[in-house]
Amino acid sequence: MNWNEFVQLLAGLISVVNPITAMPVYMALTARKSPAERRQTAITAAFAVTMVLLTALLAGEPILRFFGIGLPAFRVAGGLLLLLMGMSMLRASDDRSRHTPEEDAESQDKASVAVVPLAIPLLAGPGAISTTIVYAHRDLSLNHYLLFGGVIVTVSSIVLLFLLLAPRIVAIMGQTGMNLVTRVMGLLLSSIAVEFIAGGMTELFPLLAGGR
């Protein structure tokens, strides 16, 4: 196993999924549930994140080909989306690409909130899906896919841990601490977004690569 690549992929994907921002929403949506129900909601949400991202890993590029979308164009579009998400995280403000107040209000009436809106779109939203597809195309070998599959399972396990410990983490960190972590992850996410955009633009316009 290439541990350097594993850590790089893990850091990139976890910054997009960002379970820190999901904890307050999870606590609000499960406030009236019993501890057992909250635990089951966390497990279901983490499992749904795994399934969504694994589907993006295995079927993302074929879906793009079906709609006639080239990976360079998708890389630029995904980079722009990640950049908007990163800028929102730097301001420690709500990101409407993840969820909207209308979706939050609608979810209050649902019996289960694990899949929607927790897993989709809050955790495994458009940003995480596009990141998975772009990262998957770095190397088409079986080893890379197995490695990235392990990254996805690891990210989902971290999501589960954060959701289960959400009350304690929020109490310890406080709003200021959570905002600080969110801003740091927003900076990392913005850097990844710029890399995506630059790589996509270079493939779309080879002259930007300086004739290489």
Side-chain angles (χ1 to χ4, degrees), residues 16-34:
V16 182
V17 175
N18 192 12
I20 295 289
T21 60
M23 289 192 300
V25 178
Y26 165 76
M27 292 176 60
L29 295 179
T30 59
R32 300 179 181 178
K33 297 181 180 294
S34 67

Side-chain angles (χ1 to χ4, degrees), residues 111-193:
S112 176
V113 297
V115 178
V116 180
L118 275 179
I120 308 168
L122 188 58
L123 292 165
I129 293 172
S130 60
T131 301
T132 299
I133 295 174
V134 172
Y135 276 165
H137 193 262
R138 283 186 171 184
D139 187 347
L140 300 181
S141 67
L142 177 60
N143 287 339
H144 176 73
Y145 274 77
L146 291 176
L147 178 70
F148 198 31
V151 169
I152 291 173
V153 173
T154 303
V155 167
S156 300
S157 300
I158 294 174
V159 167
L160 176 60
L161 182 63
F162 270 78
L163 293 182
L164 291 176
L165 299 178
R168 297 181 183 178
I169 295 176
V170 172
I172 294 173
M173 295 181 61
Q175 190 61 47
T176 301
M178 293 181 61
N179 287 346
L180 177 60
V181 174
T182 298
R183 289 188 174 99
V184 172
M185 298 185 75
L187 180 60
L188 177 61
L189 184 58
S190 298
S191 302
I192 295 173

Side-chain angles (χ1 to χ4, degrees), residues 83-94:
L83 184 60
L84 292 175
M85 292 172 59
M87 296 299 293
S88 178
M89 291 167 64
L90 284 172
R91 296 192 302 269
S93 59
D94 290 334

Side-chain angles (χ1 to χ4, degrees), residues 62-83:
I63 292 175
L64 293 182
R65 286 201 302 267
F66 177 79
F67 288 102
I69 302 173
L71 189 66
F74 184 80
R75 191 191 302 264
V76 173
L80 291 173
L81 174 61
L82 294 182
L83 184 60

Side-chain angles (χ1 to χ4, degrees), residues 30-67:
T30 59
R32 300 179 181 178
K33 297 181 180 294
S34 67
E37 289 175 326
R38 287 197 297 269
R39 184 167 55 253
Q40 184 59 46
T41 298
I43 294 173
T44 304
F47 180 77
V49 169
T50 305
M51 292 298 99
V52 170
L53 296 184
L54 285 178
T55 300
L57 172 65
L58 299 176
E61 190 173 356
I63 292 175
L64 293 182
R65 286 201 302 267
F66 177 79
F67 288 102

